[in-house]
Amino acid sequence: MKILLTGGTGYIGSHTAVELIKRGYEVEIIDNLFNSKITVLDGIEKITGVKPKFYHADLLDTEKLDEIFTSNNYDAVMHFAGLKAVGESVGKPLLYYYNNIGTTINLLEAMKKHGTKRIIFSSSATVYGDQDGVKLTEKNQTGIGITNPYGQTKYMIEQILKDNVVANPDFEVTILRYFNPVGAHASGFIGEDPNDIPNNLMPVIMKVSTGEIPILSVYGNDYNTPDGTGMRDYIHVVDLARGHVMAIEKMGPGVQIYNLGTGEATSVMEMIKAFEEAGGKTLPYKITARRPGDLAKIFADPTKAEVELKWKTELTVADAMRDTINYLNCLKKR
Ligand code: NAD
Ligand code: UD1
């Protein structure tokens, strides 16, 4: 089975490429390298022994996309490509709508024209909007209280995929709603290495540990949580990648939606402690004001994926911290 990974040199795409190759899938990647590096392909090769065929191209370039689909017969597409910096999306909404939605429409057009019917889309828990403190199931409402254009694009793309299936009933769509991906491959050869300035917790923790950012700002300790700091459902990126493999093996007609999370919530202070324990050194932090738009506690009910995909997370936050530190050490040696 041959699968095209859009955004496949990115953080989640690269880990998914590894898991797919390990299970015998043929993987090809298209990425414009806006937020990833070509050296990721070497990392994938070091782990799996296979260097995926790579197209350095933009999904907004319809001619190039047509060329790629003309010269290949893909059984499925995993659509990771997109811009994901929430803060930036508030300042550059048109860029986010144009890139995230435009790439998806171009891809669906190319798939239809060339007879590729299966697509797995990287959605996000952000589609659940401002529902705070409840274990989110796929049946919870979506689209209400989304506070930024990035989140809106995820919600809109879900809708586009659903509408497209109504018009093209032979399409098979799986929407995966990721909670908070963290960690790296245990080998240390691939991990999260964004080109942009990070605003998610884990990349910030990494940059504080290397001294690139002097101190971690903890955004508020007056939430209604046991230690007052925000709680999230942190899922190891390798578990998340395995979720894609299970999803591709279970695809069928229509639209399937799954939460990919652990079902557990961890606070910012617990994340700091876990990193310190794994690395054996302290992480400087200060308590600052809340970040606008943040909620106290967001976590998944992953039961549907567990039952239908026969998928369950196996790795812990401690594993993610160990693997992140391993990855940082590998980066240092390069
Ligand atoms: P990432 O930035 O590491 O990877 C995305 C890749 O897409 C990058 O390599 C980038 O260069 C590429 N890309 C962007 N626009 C493109 C275009 N027009 N043409 C070709 N390539 C393009 O991000 P990630 O963390 O791996 O996330 C993958 C997907 O999962 C994204 O859609 C993201 O929104 C979604 N997601 C991520 C998280 C998270 O916390 N990382 C959470 C929920 C959902
Ligand atoms: C953020 C986005 C969300 C997006 C998700 C994945 C906002 C308001 N939400 O979610 O739309 O889907 O990323 O890209 O931006 N924290 C700190 N200090 C930091 C960074 C984070 O204390 O420097 C805290 C946050 O307040 C939060 C937790 O760490 O409690 C996790 O933050 P983050 O990694 O940004 O993820 P989300 O808030 O879940």
Side-chain angles (χ1 to χ4, degrees), residues 31-43:
D31 201 298
N32 64 0
L33 300 179
F34 175 83
N35 198 36
S36 56
K37 298 183 177 69
I38 188 88
T39 49
V40 167
L41 298 170
D42 303 326

Side-chain angles (χ1 to χ4, degrees), residues 244-270:
H244 292 71
V245 178
M246 301 313 280
I248 198 88
E249 285 167 7
K250 258 305 256 206
M251 285 195 82
V255 181
Q256 320 296 327
I257 302 179
Y258 298 102
N259 284 339
L260 294 186
T262 66
E264 306 288 331
T266 306
S267 74
V268 178
M269 289 313 299
E270 287 168 338

Side-chain angles (χ1 to χ4, degrees), residues 225-261:
T225 60
D227 67 19
T229 63
M231 299 183 85
R232 296 292 181 271
D233 186 336
Y234 295 98
I235 172 170
H236 196 296
V237 66
V238 172
D239 276 334
L240 186 64
R242 283 180 35 252
H244 292 71
V245 178
M246 301 313 280
I248 198 88
E249 285 167 7
K250 258 305 256 206
M251 285 195 82
V255 181
Q256 320 296 327
I257 302 179
Y258 298 102
N259 284 339
L260 294 186

Side-chain angles (χ1 to χ4, degrees), residues 11-12 31-32 34-36 58-59 80 84 99 150 154:
Y11 175 44
I12 300 166
D31 201 298
N32 64 0
F34 175 83
N35 198 36
S36 56
D58 198 308
L59 287 167
F80 299 97
K84 63 162 186 175
N99 190 75
Y150 163 77
K154 291 293 170 195

Side-chain angles (χ1 to χ4, degrees), residues 76-186:
V77 172
M78 293 194 185
H79 183 31
F80 299 97
L83 300 175
K84 63 162 186 175
V86 171
E88 185 186 56
S89 79
V90 176
K92 298 179 180 170
L94 301 185
L95 174 70
Y96 273 68
Y97 287 117
Y98 185 59
N99 190 75
N100 291 4
I101 293 174
T103 55
T104 307
I105 292 173
N106 289 349
L107 191 61
L108 289 172
E109 293 279 20
M111 288 174 67
K112 188 177 174 196
K113 182 173 170 197
H114 295 279
T116 302
K117 304 278 167 51
R118 292 173 168 173
I119 181 166
I120 294 186
F121 172 62
S122 302
S123 191
S124 164
T126 194
V127 300
Y128 293 114
D130 55 8
Q131 296 169 84
D132 200 349
V134 288
K135 236 181 184 192
L136 294 160
T137 76
E138 294 80 355
K139 289 204 172 97
N140 277 68
Q141 69 172 24
T142 56
I144 310 290
I146 298 173
T147 52
N148 57 77
Y150 163 77
Q152 293 289 0
T153 67
K154 291 293 170 195
Y155 176 65
M156 289 177 189
I157 293 167
E158 287 199 2
Q159 196 56 51
I160 290 168
L161 290 166
K162 290 174 193 167
D163 291 343
N164 190 54
V165 163
V166 174
N168 302 280
D170 51 345
F171 259 70
E172 299 180 8
V173 175
T174 297
I175 291 169
L176 300 178
R177 294 181 180 149
Y178 309 157
F179 280 67
N180 292 61
V182 289
H185 192 267

Side-chain angles (χ1 to χ4, degrees), residues 194-330:
N195 291 338
D196 57 4
I197 302 154
N199 33 32
N200 290 120
L201 179 62
M202 207 53 217
V204 174
I205 287 181
M206 288 161 75
K207 288 215 185 295
V208 172
S209 85
T210 59
E212 287 165 82
I213 295 178
I215 191 161
L216 171 69
S217 294
V218 176
Y219 297 144
N221 66 350
D222 55 354
Y223 284 102
N224 183 20
T225 60
D227 67 19
T229 63
M231 299 183 85
R232 296 292 181 271
D233 186 336
Y234 295 98
I235 172 170
H236 196 296
V237 66
V238 172
D239 276 334
L240 186 64
R242 283 180 35 252
H244 292 71
V245 178
M246 301 313 280
I248 198 88
E249 285 167 7
K250 258 305 256 206
M251 285 195 82
V255 181
Q256 320 296 327
I257 302 179
Y258 298 102
N259 284 339
L260 294 186
T262 66
E264 306 288 331
T266 306
S267 74
V268 178
M269 289 313 299
E270 287 168 338
M271 290 294 281
I272 294 173
K273 200 161 160 264
F275 189 86
E276 289 180 339
E277 274 170 10
K281 64 173 187 178
T282 55
L283 203 68
Y285 70 87
K286 60 178 179 196
I287 308 293
T288 65
R290 290 182 178 194
R291 182 173 62 179
D294 265 352
L295 301 174
K297 185 176 178 185
I298 303 170
F299 65 133
D301 182 340
T303 309
K304 189 174 177 219
E306 289 174 4
V307 172
E308 293 186 13
L309 301 180
K310 311 269 177 282
W311 166 89
K312 209 174 171 4
T313 57
E314 290 168 0
L315 300 163
T316 61
V317 162
D319 294 326
M321 296 306 182
R322 178 203 61 215
D323 296 338
T324 299
I325 288 164
N326 197 15
Y327 172 64
L328 283 170
N329 289 336
C330 278

